[in-house]
Amino acid sequence: MKWAMVLGIVVIAVLITLYEWPKMNKNQKKERKAFAVLTMGSVVLAVLLVYFPDMPGPTQLVDSLFKPFGKLLEK
Amino acid sequence: MIEKGKISGLQMAILLYPTIVATAELVLPAITGEVAKQDMWLSPIWASFFGYLSVLIAYRLHSYYPKETLLQYSETIAGKIPGKLIGCGILFFLLHTNGMNLRDFGEFVNGNFLEQTPLTVTIASMAFVCALAVRGGLEVMARSSQIFVPVFILLFMFIVVLLIPALNPGNIAPVLGEGLTPSIKGALVPTQWFNELFLISFLLPYLGENENGLKWGMITTTLIMITLVITNLLALLLFGDITSSFTYPIMDAARYISVADFLQHVEAVEMAIWVTGMFIKISVFYYAAVIGLAQLLNLSDYRPIVFPIGLLLISISMWAAPNLQKLTHFSSTTWPFYALLFQMIIPILLLLAVITRKKFSKTQLS
Amino acid sequence: MKLLQNKGKQLLTITLCVIPIFLSGCWDRSEVNDLALIVGMGLDRTDEGDIELSAQIVNPKAMGGQGSSENSQSGGQPVTVKTGTGKTIFDARSKLQEKVSRRLFEGHNRIVVIGKALAERGIRQHIDFFARFPNPRLRANVFFADGKASEILKIMPNFEQDSAEVARELAELRIGMKVTTKDLLQQLASESGATALPRILVDKSDSGEELRVNGTAVFKHNQLIGQIDDALTRGLLWVTDEIETASVTLQPKDAKDYISFKLLRSSTELIPTIKNGKWKMTITITSEDDVVENETKLDMMDPKIIDKLQKQLNKRIRKRIKMVLDDVQEGMEADVFGFADAFHRKYPKQWKKAEDKWDETFPEIEVAIKSDVKIRRPGRSGGPQGVPQDKEATE
């Protein structure tokens, strides 16, 4: 099942790229770069999450930063 | 400017109203009821002060930099590098919180209706619809919420009216039985929902000329406060002490409706309310994140990054928490402080910096 | 450039065409003809200590049009009762599912009957399922069966389609208490620690078996501690302000015939007072009655006679309530009247202190009953019917 999910993610990313890429001007270099980095980043993150769904994420990061405060509201 | 659309004050209000009400409507009675008990209906009133304050701060900042959003003037105020850092923080907050919103939506729909459907599918379909709205631009979002919000309010009233026969006014007593403390404690989490009104700073620059942003901001906050008080009263008068033992009290309230053995099973209405509200809420957060990132990177157009960010949001929503318990725990313990930092403290610091700088330069001039 | 734009549009069209396939909700598609609609659920305890769940399921064959026709013997019953046993309700439900070809669906469940053997060991732990599992509704009426719950569900009534509907309608009429799952949850969580459930019985007669709501089962701290009969239940309903339909029949002093009254409306107020550390409860009842039958020769238009009758009615109501107080307050020491809530609401501070001692305080509370009955109208006739004018009895 996992490979199917990865495939799905890649297909979605490709569809997005096919849709957006031609819309950008040749001279919109920065946009293209941002687009490429974001899409790649998202795909990598998504694929990682398929294989390691429990890896520590933003919630844990925030939790560890704000722990002392969070304790106040815990019961 | 990156966004060419203009919205009216009413449209801004209509975008912001569901942004706060959508989440609150379902879980507020459970969260406030836990600590405030029968005084839970007072909590949104205390919490709304933060809403007013948030609008006021955003408006003051806006009056100094009328054409810029929060991320742009934070760079002007704090300097290039610190400004970018603040921007990154706010973006992180927006993306993470919106991921949680998406997850909330998915958990609710899957927990109550589509038990067998994979969570990713529910979330991805919502993200896709929101992406289309955001890609269409602010005007498209405003117009779609103009269609949805009246439906949202109408359906909500429908549920309130149908539940009136089942309510027991006695549940409200003793009012302030243990003083003000429980209701104020209950207001802690909702304050941060009200502080989500800081998103107004992403909308104010695109308000049409001659529109009174402050006035509409205040009207929105008041309407939200009234809606939330009604929500809590409804849950309290129906369920009394057991309100906080439900995950989604209003959902169970809607299922309790039975008028003349005939008008019953209306929980689909509640579902419709939640989905329309969440659609706007997620879109507004999404829009703020997209436009923020575009401004941070100095892009000329924000549209190309809408879909990639959508993909990112889906991942974050799955990443945010392993289960509903952890998600709820996080959003009712750590999240309020985390949100306070980005939604209130940073804007206040920025405002203070601007004011002192203006004063300083004035005294220098004279 | 234009070509590229066209291509984009084409892609969008294709995407839009593909997406609906994934959005059709195929995972949770549930058609009515794949569901077994449960309309009543019964909980019993087996001798081994397991839970036996009985479900009254709508018979799809008997549904729709031809169901009411000739061959009512073969599969023509509108509902069937199936049972399953397990450690928990859900466990029993999954055993039950093995016997049913369609997916069980509790969304239309109207009643929950709790059998005596199970109730004796507490009800709190079993009610959780009805508030947690997605399907059941909190509006289902809960009953106590002085015997096996499955017996109640198996009754095939003459009037309604199924016994669940009979039980629900009976609860709706307020002959006994009306307790929904929500109410039960609230009672269990309340400060009083006492719970009351309407008792449902099978009434055997020549014309067949019928259901009857009769009496109330009283629980304290999740334990069944007693049952009260119909008459006491009426008293309880007066106190909890739930009485809706009532007929009162009196024999006036110095008369050998009776007068019947019909209750129009009534409201009860519980007024707690704490004076010098002494807890006192005043029950104030105001009700309105109409005369509906007069066997005596008394003139129902005579204000003096009506005054006397009102006094007699008041006495009657007070006696009723006194009876139930004697039995439940002093006998069972269970606060099913909502006194705890009344005190908590009016005296939150004193309540906080006395909360833990409520079980000892409650039986000691002095109760005063004030009843104010108003006879509003004499009905369609004024004086007694069939009596010559000059022979009417007067003062």
Side-chain angles (χ1 to χ4, degrees), chain B residues 111 114-118 121 125 128 170-171 173-174 177-178 238-240 242 246 252 255-256 258 261 265 267, chain C residues 19 22-23 27-28 107-108 131 134-139 168-169 180 182-183 185-186 189 191 344-345 348 352:
Chain B
L114 310 175
E115 287 167 65
Q116 305 297 321
T117 311
V121 174
S125 37
F128 180 67
N171 285 345
E178 284 163 53
L238 183 65
F239 291 124
I242 59 169
F246 293 105
D252 276 295
R255 301 179 72 154
Y256 196 73
S258 167
D261 291 349
H265 303 266
E267 63 260 35
Chain C
I19 277 165
F22 298 102
L23 294 184
W27 280 280
D28 281 290
H108 292 261
N135 293 338
R137 253 141 251 269
L138 293 175
R139 211 175 182 105
R168 199 187 61 83
E169 291 291 352
T180 62
K182 181 208 91 174
D183 299 333
L185 288 168
Q186 277 175 320
E191 283 110 347
H344 180 195
R345 276 169 194 163
K352 200 92 200 142

Side-chain angles (χ1 to χ4, degrees), chain C residues 291 300-311 375:
Chain C
V291 182
M300 289 296 111
M301 292 304 274
D302 187 341
K304 276 186 198 148
I305 294 178
I306 294 299
D307 270 352
K308 270 192 171 169
L309 288 172
Q310 283 183 354
K311 271 189 198 129
I375 298 173

Side-chain angles (χ1 to χ4, degrees), chain B residues 21 23 36 45 74 99 120 139 148 151 165 193-194 202 234 248 261 263 269 276 282 285 295 305 328 341 347 352:
Chain B
V21 174
T23 343
I45 302 177
S74 67
T120 344
E139 277 185 15
F148 285 135
V151 177
W193 293 339
F194 272 101
F202 288 91
L234 194 69
Y248 305 112
D261 291 349
L263 194 56
V269 172
T276 48
I282 295 166
F285 267 90
Q295 284 165 346
I305 56 169
T328 313
L341 176 65
L352 286 178

Side-chain angles (χ1 to χ4, degrees), chain C residues 77-235:
Chain C
Q77 295 276 29
V79 290
T80 45
V81 177
K82 304 246 185 213
T83 54
T85 16
K87 293 277 170 236
T88 62
I89 297 178
F90 192 72
D91 190 19
R93 181 189 183 272
S94 43
K95 297 280 158 36
L96 207 161
Q97 178 73 77
E98 291 169 5
K99 301 179 202 165
V100 181
S101 57
R102 300 178 178 208
R103 221 160 41 151
L104 294 172
F105 182 67
E106 292 90 341
H108 292 261
N109 184 34
R110 287 187 289 245
I111 61 162
V112 177
V113 185
I114 300 174
K116 193 179 177 191
L118 191 76
E120 274 169 347
R121 275 150 211 276
I123 42 177
R124 188 205 59 78
Q125 56 271 48
H126 305 301
I127 214 72
D128 181 84
F129 172 79
F130 298 94
R132 194 178 301 277
F133 192 62
N135 293 338
R137 253 141 251 269
L138 293 175
R139 211 175 182 105
N141 291 100
V142 187
F143 294 94
F144 164 80
D146 194 14
K148 283 202 80 178
S150 54
E151 305 277 300
I152 305 288
L153 293 177
K154 277 178 191 149
I155 300 289
M156 289 301 152
N158 299 329
F159 256 40
E160 307 276 356
Q161 224 193 11
D162 47 72
S163 51
E165 185 61 17
V166 175
R168 199 187 61 83
E169 291 291 352
L170 285 176
E172 230 32 82
L173 283 174
R174 305 291 174 95
I175 308 298
M177 295 190 81
K178 181 193 168 202
V179 178
T180 62
T181 319
K182 181 208 91 174
D183 299 333
L184 180 59
L185 288 168
Q186 277 175 320
Q187 287 182 10
L188 286 167
S190 77
E191 283 110 347
S192 66
T195 317
L197 284 181
R199 183 171 69 180
I200 194 162
L201 311 167
V202 182
D203 210 23
K204 285 197 178 94
S205 67
D206 298 339
S207 59
E209 292 172 323
E210 280 291 344
L211 286 179
R212 215 173 125 194
V213 171
N214 172 308
T216 307
V218 180
F219 297 81
K220 192 180 170 189
H221 299 307
N222 203 19
Q223 296 282 297
L224 179 68
I225 54 162
Q227 299 182 30
I228 55 177
D229 66 5
D230 215 14
L232 290 176
T233 302
R234 309 294 293 168

